[in-house]
């Protein structure tokens, strides 16, 4: 104990306020531990979880069963066997996830305000493999009203701006798929959302954004509200600076709160749930494949690997440190942060090319697979970056593309000049001129566009099979025939928008066992130390479906809570 440093003693300390951290705290409390503290380094709680779509991937959940879905735990397990190489994740971790994730949701549903809705039409990402399903494995948080949080609502990490209609009205994942893709029925849904917003008087006169919350921030709001029901504390602007280790056991942590050093001693342990190292450029360069830049990451800015580094210092082993939750990102010159580009490059009438004008992969496949192909192909001799999303006037007029929206809502004259002067967006009357302006090889780009136009006629992408899989078609346009992912790129003017090889979090971290205990290199557990979320090595590193990050984060938070509280019960 440092002389003059304030010290307190509690049962369990949770570091990080995303889904994993808040689930660990709530489950521990419900299992009989009343002295639980959650600390968060930033000024808002929720982290990347709050900013995300908030989905969880859980086979055969109570919500899927209630919706009448056809699935089983064995089919879910078979699908994971097909998607995750045997040498990447120990089988006992996958078995634990399949068995415990539905139980975790049951526990939260029965005891807290946590509620999810089953996504009937969101397919598994590798939808052609045995065990895959075309819906009801991914869930999204049920919307909730912000004002239930009271003053705590001001400190909530909110879902990325692009998931808010007009930056004001919350959209669910289903809303976003229908509205942004402008699939049949979208005007009616838009009108309903707008009416719900404008008719909420006097809320709209004192608040810019809707009372209704959705996606990731709705999930965090439900967890935080459940903590508030129990009087559970959450300290903001409180950073863990080190773990306290005595005789090989973690017995607490050193923290700094509002600039003041403190020590928190724990009777049951510390749960690390503080995110990955996505905004630590030094660690990115040490571990991740090139090219890599923190500026391309859409994860929460305070995630710099604190929990992982502290766990390593305490003797914890690491695994999968060369991986991340990869996703192309878009960052316009006037954006404070990049945004994930999940839907944009999937719409028909566009393609993504490198500086030789060549396509990199199937643009409509799941974002993780797309990025893994990019990294596998990238080298100094064969660079896949920089890359551009290329489309024409018809595409620009119909589909929402990052900050551009559509030309109907935001014509070119309304776009900031910096979009064009910075090289973020290029416009030209011909494909050859577009190539010259961007530095793309003209012959290569003209050849690629001609090929895409041919694929649009036949409905068959003979190069990468775009549109062949069910997942490809999820973000396609059902009005486009014969392939909803392929349309001509032939109406001037033509556009090229920079698109980055980004991520929404690293997925390598501390090795844990099925109880979420942090493990040493010799295979022994560090007593009193647990990890979950992106502090721990990924359990579903291939991202088998939407929600493959938060599902394991919550499940192994549940496992940590059960193990830590065994002595209490």
């Amino acid at each position: 104990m440092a002389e003059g440093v304030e010290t307190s003693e509690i049962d369990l300390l949770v570091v990080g306020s995303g889904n994993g951290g808040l689930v660990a705290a709530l489950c521990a409390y419900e299992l009989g531990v009343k002295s639980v503290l959650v600390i968060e380094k930033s000024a808002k709680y929720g982290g990347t979880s709050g900013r995300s779509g908030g989905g969880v991937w859980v086979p055969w959940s109570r919500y899927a069963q209630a919706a009448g879905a056809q699935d089983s735990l064995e089919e879910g397990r078979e699908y994971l066997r097909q998607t995750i190489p045997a040498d990447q994740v120990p089988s006992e971790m996958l078995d634990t996830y399949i068995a415990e994730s539905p139980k975790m949701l049951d526990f939260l549903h029965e005891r807290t305000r946590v509620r999810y809705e089953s996504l009937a039409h969101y397919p598994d990402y590798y939808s052609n493999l045995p065990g895959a399903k075309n819906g009801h494995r991914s869930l999204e948080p049920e919307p909730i009203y912000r004002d239930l949080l009271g003053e705590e609502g001001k400190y909530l990490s909110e879902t990325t701006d692009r998931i808010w209609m007009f930056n004001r009205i919350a959209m669910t994942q289903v809303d976003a798929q229908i509205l942004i893709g402008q699939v049949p029925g979208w005007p009616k849904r838009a009108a309903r959302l707008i009416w719900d917003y404008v008719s909420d008087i006097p809320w709209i006169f004192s608040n810019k954004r809707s009372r209704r919350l959705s996606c990731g921030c709705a999930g965090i709001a439900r967890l935080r509200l459940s903590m508030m029901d129990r009087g559970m504390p959450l300290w903001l602007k409180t950073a863990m600076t080190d773990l306290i280790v005595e005789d090989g056991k973690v017995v607490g942590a050193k923290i700094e709160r509002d600039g003041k050093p403190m020590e928190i001693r724990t009777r049951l342990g510390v749960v690390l749930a503080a995110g990955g190292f996505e905004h630590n450029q030094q660690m990115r360069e040490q571990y991740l494949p090139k090219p890599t830049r923190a500026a391309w990451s859409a994860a929460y800015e305070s995630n710099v690997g604190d929990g992982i580094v502290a766990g390593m210092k305490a003797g914890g082993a690491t695994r999968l440190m060369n991986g991340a939750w990869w996703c192309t990102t878009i960052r316009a010159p006037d954006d404070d942060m990049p945004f994930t580009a999940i839907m944009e490059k999937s719409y028909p009438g566009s393609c993504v090319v490198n500086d030789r004008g060549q396509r990199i992969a199937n643009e409509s496949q799941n974002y993780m697979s797309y990025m893994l192909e990019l990294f596998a192909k990238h080298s100094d001799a064969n660079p896949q970056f920089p890359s551009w999303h290329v489309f024409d006037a018809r595409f620009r007029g119909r589909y929402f593309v990052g900050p551009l929206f559509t030309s109907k809502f935001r014509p070119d004259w309304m776009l900031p000049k910096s979009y064009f002067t910075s090289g973020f967006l290029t416009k030209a009357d011909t494909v050859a001129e577009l190539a010259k302006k961007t530095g793309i090889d003209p012959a290569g780009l003209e050849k690629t566009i001609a090929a895409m136009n041919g694929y649009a006629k036949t409905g068959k992408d003979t190069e990468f099979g775009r549109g062949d899989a069910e997942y490809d078609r999820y973000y396609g346009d059902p009005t486009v025939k014969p392939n909803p992912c392929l349309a001509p790129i032939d109406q001037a003017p033509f556009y090229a928008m920079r698109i980055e090889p980004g991520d929404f979090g690293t997925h390598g971290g501390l090795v844990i066992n099925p109880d979420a205990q942090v493990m040493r290199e010799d295979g022994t557990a560090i007593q009193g130390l647990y990890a979950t979320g992106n502090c721990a090595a990924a359990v579903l590193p291939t991202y088998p479906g939407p929600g493959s990050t938060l599902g394991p984060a919550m499940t192994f938070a549940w496992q940590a809570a059960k193990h830590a509280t065994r002595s209490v019960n």
Side-chain angles (χ1 to χ4, degrees), residues 16-177:
S17 63
N19 276 47
L22 300 190
V23 167
L26 272 170
C27 290
Y29 186 97
E30 286 299 299
L31 291 170
V33 177
K34 305 308 179 187
S35 180
V36 182
L37 171 64
V38 178
I39 63 172
E40 167 58 50
K41 180 171 63 176
S42 73
K44 294 189 174 184
Y45 59 90
T48 302
S49 297
R51 181 177 287 175
S52 74
V56 298
W57 187 88
V58 176
W60 203 220
S61 70
R62 66 184 299 129
Y63 303 103
Q65 292 176 47
Q70 299 298 310
D71 198 1
S72 67
L73 295 183
E74 183 51 45
E75 287 177 286
R77 187 179 290 107
E78 175 60 24
Y79 175 63
L80 293 187
R81 289 195 192 106
Q82 296 290 327
T83 58
I84 300 173
D87 61 346
Q88 280 199 357
V89 179
S91 60
E92 61 267 24
M93 295 297 289
L94 296 179
D95 290 342
T96 298
Y97 181 70
I98 288 293
E100 296 295 330
S101 55
K103 297 177 185 177
M104 173 270 298
L105 285 178
D106 288 344
F107 187 86
L108 292 171
H109 182 96
E110 292 162 5
R111 297 192 181 220
T112 75
R113 299 198 191 215
V114 170
R115 297 290 184 273
Y116 282 88
E117 297 177 346
S118 186
L119 298 177
H121 304 294
Y122 207 148
D124 286 338
Y125 282 172
Y126 303 91
S127 52
N128 292 340
L129 292 178
K133 296 293 180 180
N134 290 330
H136 287 303
R137 280 187 178 162
S138 292
L139 318 167
E140 71 170 319
E142 185 178 292
I144 189 171
Y145 288 126
R146 183 196 305 267
D147 56 330
L148 293 174
L149 291 166
E151 286 296 302
E152 286 285 292
K154 296 188 299 186
Y155 307 109
L156 174 68
S157 169
E158 294 192 5
T159 307
T160 177
D161 292 350
R162 302 275 158 75
I163 207 67
W164 296 83
M165 184 192 301
F166 311 125
N167 203 22
R168 290 178 178 269
I169 303 171
M171 295 187 290
T172 65
Q173 290 189 45
V174 174
D175 291 333
Q177 188 258 342

Side-chain angles (χ1 to χ4, degrees), residues 161-479:
D161 292 350
R162 302 275 158 75
I163 207 67
W164 296 83
M165 184 192 301
F166 311 125
N167 203 22
R168 290 178 178 269
I169 303 171
M171 295 187 290
T172 65
Q173 290 189 45
V174 174
D175 291 333
Q177 188 258 342
I178 293 172
L179 297 177
I180 296 176
Q182 299 178 68
V183 302
W186 75 267
K188 183 177 180 180
R189 183 173 290 253
R192 180 180 59 79
L193 291 174
I194 293 169
W195 171 251
D196 288 346
Y197 173 71
V198 300
S199 63
D200 190 9
I201 301 171
W203 178 267
I204 62 172
F205 290 108
S206 56
N207 298 271
K208 175 184 176 181
R209 284 183 164 174
S210 61
R211 186 195 308 262
R212 176 179 180 258
L213 297 170
S214 65
C215 292
C217 60
I220 291 294
R222 288 185 170 279
L223 288 165
R224 180 61 185 134
L225 189 59
S226 300
M227 290 179 63
M228 292 166 60
D229 291 341
R230 294 156 177 77
M232 298 175 66
L234 192 165
W235 291 358
L236 299 176
K237 299 180 182 178
T238 304
M240 179 190 68
T241 57
D242 203 358
L243 292 167
I244 301 173
V245 184
E246 295 178 356
D247 299 324
K249 179 180 179 180
V250 172
V251 296
K254 297 178 181 179
I255 69 172
E256 189 174 280
R257 187 184 190 196
D258 292 326
K260 180 182 178 181
M262 299 175 62
E263 287 189 0
I264 304 291
R265 311 283 292 193
T266 58
R267 288 179 282 272
L268 299 179
V270 176
V271 179
L272 300 175
F277 58 88
E278 45 270 13
H279 285 283
N280 185 323
Q281 185 63 30
Q282 182 179 353
M283 290 184 73
R284 292 184 72 96
E285 292 176 1
Q286 180 180 356
Y287 294 111
L288 299 181
K290 306 300 186 295
T292 183
R293 294 181 193 171
W296 298 336
S297 178
Y300 211 67
E301 293 78 8
S302 62
N303 292 353
V304 293
D306 297 341
I308 297 172
V309 171
M312 293 169 65
K313 184 179 177 182
T318 59
R319 189 169 56 82
L320 300 176
M321 293 291 281
N322 64 342
W325 306 114
W326 303 117
C327 182
T328 48
T329 57
I330 300 169
R331 187 168 192 170
D334 57 348
D335 281 338
D336 294 330
M337 54 169 282
F339 296 91
T340 54
I342 293 175
M343 293 177 275
E344 287 88 345
K345 67 181 185 298
S346 200
Y347 299 140
S350 73
C351 62
V352 178
V353 301
N354 56 29
D355 63 3
R356 272 119 35 235
Q358 300 168 347
R359 293 171 67 203
I360 298 166
N362 169 10
E363 297 88 352
S364 294
Q365 68 182 308
N366 77 78
Y367 39 89
M368 186 77 168
S369 294
Y370 179 88
M371 287 293 297
L372 289 174
E373 283 197 49
L374 183 150
F375 284 121
K377 293 178 178 179
H378 180 81
S379 67
D380 291 341
N382 186 33
Q384 303 303 315
F385 176 82
S387 57
W388 292 266
H389 187 196
V390 176
F391 47 91
D392 67 358
R394 176 172 44 209
F395 185 96
R396 172 89 173 90
R398 178 165 177 78
Y399 303 111
F400 285 79
V401 184
L404 307 183
F405 290 86
T406 72
S407 57
K408 292 179 290 188
F409 289 100
R410 200 179 189 194
D412 290 350
W413 63 266
M414 290 182 63
L415 298 175
K417 290 184 179 179
S418 61
Y419 280 25
F420 297 96
T421 58
S422 66
F424 168 70
L425 182 65
T426 304
K427 176 182 176 182
D429 290 330
T430 67
V431 172
E433 182 186 359
L434 184 74
K436 291 174 183 177
K437 283 186 173 182
T438 54
I440 300 172
D441 176 64
L445 184 59
E446 287 188 310
K447 181 179 179 181
T448 293
I449 298 302
M452 293 299 295
N453 291 340
Y455 302 155
K457 290 180 181 178
T458 64
K460 184 66 177 178
D461 173 6
T462 58
E463 188 175 8
F464 293 115
R466 180 171 170 177
D468 290 352
E470 182 68 25
Y471 177 82
D472 291 8
R473 298 187 289 274
Y474 183 75
Y475 287 124
D477 184 339
T479 67

